[in-house]
Amino acid sequence: MRHLLVTGGAGFIGANFVHYWLQQHPEDRVVVLDALTYAGNRSNLADAEGRAQYRFVAGDICDAQLVGDLMRDEKIDCVVHLAAESHVDRSISGPDEFIRTNLLGTHTLLKSARALWSQEGRLRADVRFHHVSTDEVYGSLTSTAPSFTEATAYGPNSPYSASKAGSDHLVRAYHHTYGLPVTTSNCSNNYGPFQFPEKLIPLMLVHALEGKQLPVYGRGENVRDWLYVEDHCAAIEAILQRGRVGETYNVGGCNEWRNIDIVTELCGLLEVKFSGDESLRERFPNCPAARGRRVSELIEFVTDRKGHDWRYAIDATKIRDELQFTPRERFETGIVKTVNWYLQHESWWRAVFDGSYRLGNRC
């Protein structure tokens, strides 16, 4: 039986990981620590509430007293560190919180883990600190450049990616200096259930359903690799179970798409859904598809983001060869699951947009 601390467990990837782990490992203890900032939503974890092996704690990973006491009281032997400020646009307009959470918060967790897991000057071997990071730490690729590998030199281009690069280096340093048993994963763009609708896919879905403009940066030609969130959870599981201590593993979906092609694909999927379901036309009368029109007419090209990276692409050979992990979902299947989830969970995203979910978070 393991005792996991999942930081940021009320966020998008965190909530999916908690549900995945509780389903796959029902005997393990899972403790979630989340500050419930704008993207943290306790309702994401509603299905876990009441389970004997689950506990939620509202708190800040920068609070050393809270983190230390919690890890000691819960006998934590595995940290899955997902808590992070992660939206590039927000990091450009307000970088301070990214530095605080992503750097200072990570350092607080590392210090607490080292203190708890030290025995007579030695670190326990049966523990693990897993740090979840991003492919954005590697910088930007040209259209023809080879994909990022674990040996690619870091070249972050935004305050967000720079803060994540710094946290990666701290994790590495705690392993090499103090012997802390760590692993790191750098993943590509995730998509799927519970994603906060400021990110590309849920934003376009919700705007399309509401008949609002679909804002696409530049000409939409920037390229990203897309990973279905449940596959990401399975990759973390593989790293925790079979990954080598001190190693980094890149996790990608092997699905490179231009942003404009993603948006166009979503528009087409909605048109198909609406054509075969009269209830959707009644629920979302402002969507062009409700009137038999093309959803793509809502696409609007807007001024590009400052310092917008051109392309990200992951070479996931290492995790495939060492840990026998490959994603189960192709983008064509994962995106259908994602569209279906948002259509079935209208109350969830409406609560996010009007802020009413925040009231529940304060309880």
Side-chain angles (χ1 to χ4, degrees), residues 3-78:
H3 294 73
L4 280 74
L5 175 66
V6 181
T7 69
F12 163 47
I13 300 174
N16 277 281
F17 178 80
V18 169
H19 293 309
Y20 178 88
W21 197 270
L22 287 172
Q23 181 179 23
Q24 299 296 322
H25 307 274
E27 73 284 359
D28 286 353
R29 173 76 166 167
V30 176
V31 179
V32 169
L33 176 62
D34 197 295
L36 297 177
T37 55
Y38 75 95
N41 186 346
R42 190 167 178 178
S43 69
N44 293 351
L45 297 166
D47 290 347
E49 299 286 353
R51 297 183 62 154
Q53 294 295 77
Y54 166 82
R55 178 188 176 191
F56 179 86
V57 176
D60 188 345
I61 60 171
C62 293
D63 185 337
Q65 187 69 50
L66 170 65
V67 171
D69 290 347
L70 181 62
M71 290 185 67
R72 183 189 65 250
D73 294 346
E74 287 288 349
K75 300 179 175 61
I76 298 298
D77 55 28
C78 180

Side-chain angles (χ1 to χ4, degrees), residues 60-129:
D60 188 345
I61 60 171
C62 293
D63 185 337
Q65 187 69 50
L66 170 65
V67 171
D69 290 347
L70 181 62
M71 290 185 67
R72 183 189 65 250
D73 294 346
E74 287 288 349
K75 300 179 175 61
I76 298 298
D77 55 28
C78 180
V79 174
V80 180
H81 178 32
L82 285 147
E85 295 288 341
S86 65
H87 193 53
V88 175
D89 286 348
R90 288 177 181 262
S91 81
I92 293 170
S93 60
D96 289 6
E97 195 59 31
F98 287 73
I99 304 303
R100 178 183 179 275
T101 299
N102 298 352
L103 280 170
L104 297 181
T106 300
H107 190 222
T108 299
L109 289 164
L110 289 165
K111 287 191 298 182
S112 297
R114 181 189 172 213
L116 178 65
W117 296 339
S118 294
Q119 295 179 340
E120 299 179 354
R122 298 173 64 87
L123 269 295
R124 290 170 53 188
D126 61 339
V127 293
R128 180 69 64 88
F129 187 107

Side-chain angles (χ1 to χ4, degrees), residues 168-186:
D168 290 7
H169 294 322
L170 281 171
V171 173
R172 174 184 172 88
Y174 262 71
H175 172 65
H176 284 272
T177 302
Y178 304 115
L180 191 72
V182 307
T183 44
T184 296
S185 55
N186 294 85

Side-chain angles (χ1 to χ4, degrees), residues 28-296:
D28 286 353
R29 173 76 166 167
V30 176
V31 179
V32 169
L33 176 62
D34 197 295
L36 297 177
T37 55
Y38 75 95
N41 186 346
R42 190 167 178 178
S43 69
N44 293 351
L45 297 166
D47 290 347
E49 299 286 353
R51 297 183 62 154
Q53 294 295 77
Y54 166 82
R55 178 188 176 191
F56 179 86
V57 176
D60 188 345
I61 60 171
C62 293
D63 185 337
Q65 187 69 50
L66 170 65
V67 171
D69 290 347
L70 181 62
M71 290 185 67
R72 183 189 65 250
D73 294 346
E74 287 288 349
K75 300 179 175 61
I76 298 298
D77 55 28
C78 180
V79 174
V80 180
H81 178 32
L82 285 147
E85 295 288 341
S86 65
H87 193 53
V88 175
D89 286 348
R90 288 177 181 262
S91 81
I92 293 170
S93 60
D96 289 6
E97 195 59 31
F98 287 73
I99 304 303
R100 178 183 179 275
T101 299
N102 298 352
L103 280 170
L104 297 181
T106 300
H107 190 222
T108 299
L109 289 164
L110 289 165
K111 287 191 298 182
S112 297
R114 181 189 172 213
L116 178 65
W117 296 339
S118 294
Q119 295 179 340
E120 299 179 354
R122 298 173 64 87
L123 269 295
R124 290 170 53 188
D126 61 339
V127 293
R128 180 69 64 88
F129 187 107
H130 181 69
H131 175 57
V132 178
S133 190
T134 172
D135 58 359
E136 296 191 39
V137 300
Y138 298 123
S140 182
L141 294 169
T142 64
S143 298
T144 58
S147 301
F148 299 131
T149 72
E150 291 81 359
T152 300
Y154 276 30
N157 291 318
S158 71
Y160 160 61
S161 57
S163 66
K164 288 299 289 184
S167 65
D168 290 7
H169 294 322
L170 281 171
V171 173
R172 174 184 172 88
Y174 262 71
H175 172 65
H176 284 272
T177 302
Y178 304 115
L180 191 72
V182 307
T183 44
T184 296
S185 55
N186 294 85
C187 70
S188 57
N189 282 33
N190 281 215
Y191 68 101
F194 298 116
Q195 188 167 28
F196 193 79
E198 68 183 357
K199 301 289 188 174
L200 179 67
I201 289 175
L203 179 68
M204 296 299 149
L205 276 175
V206 172
H207 273 214
L209 292 173
E210 295 288 271
K212 298 178 180 179
Q213 293 298 310
L214 308 181
V216 177
Y217 281 132
R219 302 302 300 175
E221 295 179 345
N222 301 74
V223 176
R224 299 293 182 263
D225 177 30
W226 292 91
L227 175 69
Y228 190 62
V229 66
E230 186 170 304
D231 280 327
H232 186 191
C233 297
I236 296 172
E237 177 187 46
I239 295 168
L240 290 175
Q241 292 180 330
R242 305 186 296 277
R244 290 183 290 146
V245 170
E247 291 295 313
T248 294
Y249 295 90
N250 282 351
V251 186
C254 301
N255 286 302
E256 288 187 55
W257 286 66
R258 297 189 309 165
N259 288 344
I260 187 60
D261 295 332
I262 292 283
V263 178
T264 302
E265 179 77 5
L266 289 171
C267 292
L269 285 174
L270 286 177
E271 289 165 10
V272 171
K273 290 288 184 183
F274 273 70
S275 68
D277 189 340
E278 184 177 350
S279 67
L280 290 178
R281 298 193 289 273
E282 295 173 351
R283 287 169 57 196
F284 306 106
N286 293 326
C287 180
R291 304 184 299 278
R293 297 171 60 179
R294 301 296 298 273
V295 180
S296 58

